[in-house]
Amino acid sequence: MRTLYVVTHPEATHHVEAVVGGWHDSRLTPAGVRAAASIAQALRTRIPDGAEVELFSSDLQRTRRTAEEAAELFGVKPILDRRLREKSYGQAEGKPQEWLDRRFVPPPAVGERMDHDEGVEGAETKGEWAQRIYAAMDEILQRPCEHQVIVTHGGSLTFVVASWIRMPIQSAGYASFRAPSGSITTLREDDFFHNRQVISLGDTRHLDSARR
């Protein structure tokens, strides 16, 4: 049986500063660091002692710092993969969110959504974003480890889950799996039918202690 634990990084400086994240290399806030410790403890309670664990993470500071908390508990080294980053917002990254909001062109309800130009120079299309997440997931799932932790971003979680359930990439333009910052999504594949389940999406119960 294979189980994936997909972590969305907790509160980072771009959240509290109200600037665009994307590839802007923001850091965890003090509250985010406390939440990262709670995430690591929650993972420790869910994964059996002595089990082999692999840990993958986006290479940005906010995800890397989150992964480091779990890495210390499990005695593993995070495998950093830039393909697990959030969507790139090009010239909007690091600018005030309201700057992006004024310029953003939403995708059409029907028609071409994966290659849609959102009106921001240098930004990734949804298709480019999905393709790199799918490619990273393909490599992760080729590995035989039964317990794998993936630390990524709230937006990228959609394509992690879509890839897991083998949604055709051309259909993923309509997909949206929402999860709060600092959440854990649990995915499991059984050994008999090899069905892939979404056990839980965006669980944040472990953050209660971090908020105190």
Side-chain angles (χ1 to χ4, degrees):
M1 185 178 298
R2 182 199 299 267
T3 306
L4 269 63
Y5 308 88
V6 188
V7 174
T8 55
H9 71 80
E11 184 183 81
T13 52
H14 75 275
H15 292 145
V16 298
E17 294 168 359
V19 300
V20 179
W23 290 12
H24 172 60
D25 205 8
S26 61
R27 304 178 307 278
L28 293 186
T29 63
V33 172
R34 292 192 298 272
S38 295
I39 291 166
Q41 290 291 342
L43 293 170
R44 178 67 279 179
T45 64
R46 299 179 192 196
I47 298 175
D49 289 342
E52 182 185 3
V53 177
E54 289 183 333
L55 176 57
F56 303 87
S57 176
S58 156
D59 64 336
L60 295 177
Q61 289 187 77
R62 56 194 185 268
T63 41
R64 199 167 66 237
R65 180 68 181 84
T66 305
E68 286 169 356
E69 291 288 335
E72 184 174 351
L73 279 187
F74 289 103
V76 299
K77 183 176 181 179
I79 299 171
L80 302 181
D81 190 335
R82 63 184 288 116
R83 294 174 299 179
L84 295 172
R85 288 182 177 190
E86 185 61 283
K87 170 183 162 66
S88 171
Y89 284 95
Q91 67 175 354
E93 288 165 1
K95 285 186 166 62
Q97 182 64 46
E98 55 85 18
W99 185 94
L100 174 60
D101 293 343
R102 291 200 311 270
R103 294 162 173 80
F104 189 81
V105 179
V110 295
E112 181 50 64
R113 295 170 60 88
M114 295 300 276
D115 294 327
H116 168 67
D117 180 357
E118 296 173 337
V120 181
E121 184 178 346
E124 283 185 302
T125 64
K126 184 174 280 191
E128 291 167 337
W129 183 18
Q131 285 167 9
R132 63 175 167 83
I133 298 288
Y134 271 54
M137 286 293 291
D138 284 346
E139 290 187 17
I140 290 170
L141 295 176
Q142 286 173 11
R143 303 168 71 102
C145 188
E146 291 186 358
H147 296 276
Q148 295 172 307
V149 178
I150 299 173
V151 184
T152 187
H153 306 259
S156 293
L157 173 79
T158 283
F159 296 123
V160 171
V161 176
S163 172
W164 171 253
I165 62 176
R166 300 184 69 85
M167 178 183 290
I169 200 165
Q170 63 268 25
S171 300
Y174 287 94
S176 179
F177 297 99
R178 306 300 299 171
S181 299
S183 67
I184 301 173
T185 291
T186 303
L187 311 173
R188 185 167 296 141
E189 179 181 2
D190 72 82
D191 287 336
F192 188 76
F193 292 105
H194 297 284
N195 290 330
R196 293 184 176 181
Q197 298 174 298
V198 179
I199 301 297
S200 66
L201 178 67
D203 186 1
T204 58
R205 288 172 295 176
H206 52 277
L207 296 181
D208 289 345
S209 60
R211 297 188 184 106
R212 295 190 186 110

